[in-house]
Amino acid sequence: MQRYSLFPFPVNIRTVFRYLPCLALFIFSLGVTSSRAQEYTATFEHQAIVVSDLDKSAEFYQEVLGLQEVENKTEKPTRRWFSMGEHLELHLLLEEEMVSVNKYLHMALAVSNFDNFIQNLRDKKIPFYNWEGDPNKIKLRPDGVRQVYLQDPDGYWIEINSNAP
């Protein structure tokens, strides 16, 4: 009669029990190692962008997006900080060297009253686009969210979304 085993080689039961504590320790150490990565979480805190005209950009983020300026804790005159909600900030940095951006590198915000926001853009004659680049067009996503894209004074793209229905 042929015997079947979990192992592809002959195993003595005493050998199994002799190495069982080592196997248990090994399995335990795998759990400790993988749990170490779970001892912290990362959360979004702020976004910093380089601008060419600090006052012009600050006015845009205040007047167009309605962001409130907060204390610049660096106390550097070439920096301005804006609140983007609970403990979230946008930092404007006046620097000589600008960065190159395209629409794929963008910031996204949701607004509480999308229609009022769009009217504010129209009143201020600020162009907006759908993702495809059509001017003054609103995109309706499959999930029912309406969205537009606009650019700040330095060309950074900003996605504006309605709240989901």
Side-chain angles (χ1 to χ4, degrees):
M1 180 168 152
Q2 185 175 8
R3 300 187 124 195
Y4 293 96
S5 171
L6 294 174
F7 301 99
F9 48 85
V11 174
N12 181 321
I13 195 70
R14 287 186 193 141
T15 306
V16 171
F17 282 108
R18 185 175 348 152
Y19 291 107
L20 195 57
C22 293
L23 181 60
L25 182 61
F26 174 72
I27 293 171
F28 174 76
S29 68
L30 287 178
V32 170
T33 303
S34 65
S35 69
R36 188 170 297 131
Q38 301 302 318
E39 290 178 2
Y40 66 89
T41 58
T43 58
F44 188 82
E45 182 187 69
H46 75 270
Q47 172 74 41
I49 61 173
V50 175
V51 299
S52 60
D53 184 325
L54 192 58
D55 293 332
K56 185 176 180 180
S57 292
E59 181 182 338
F60 173 86
Y61 285 97
Q62 286 175 313
E63 300 298 320
V64 176
L65 298 182
L67 301 183
Q68 298 295 312
E69 190 161 6
V70 296
E71 178 187 4
N72 168 4
K73 295 176 184 164
T74 68
E75 299 179 359
K76 293 179 180 177
T78 57
R79 310 285 192 253
R80 290 181 73 175
W81 294 6
F82 294 85
S83 173
M84 295 183 68
E86 286 187 41
H87 311 291
L88 304 174
E89 296 177 350
L90 173 67
H91 297 178
L92 304 182
L93 316 175
L94 180 63
E95 297 290 338
E96 291 180 22
E97 189 173 328
M98 293 299 296
V99 296
S100 176
V101 298
N102 62 44
K103 196 186 293 184
Y104 288 102
L105 176 64
H106 64 268
M107 172 176 35
L109 304 172
V111 294
S112 59
N113 190 323
F114 190 79
D115 294 326
N116 283 356
F117 181 82
I118 294 298
Q119 189 57 51
N120 183 45
L121 293 179
R122 289 184 172 131
D123 293 346
K124 295 180 184 302
K125 297 182 180 6
I126 296 174
F128 62 90
Y129 309 87
N130 60 11
W131 174 257
E132 294 75 17
D134 300 318
N136 301 312
K137 297 287 182 181
I138 297 169
K139 180 171 183 82
L140 180 63
R141 296 186 336 201
D143 60 1
V145 171
R146 295 179 294 160
Q147 76 179 184
V148 296
Y149 290 82
L150 61 135
Q151 291 180 283
D152 81 352
D154 288 293
Y156 291 101
W157 284 96
I158 302 166
E159 175 185 330
I160 304 294
N161 294 312
S162 66
N163 288 330

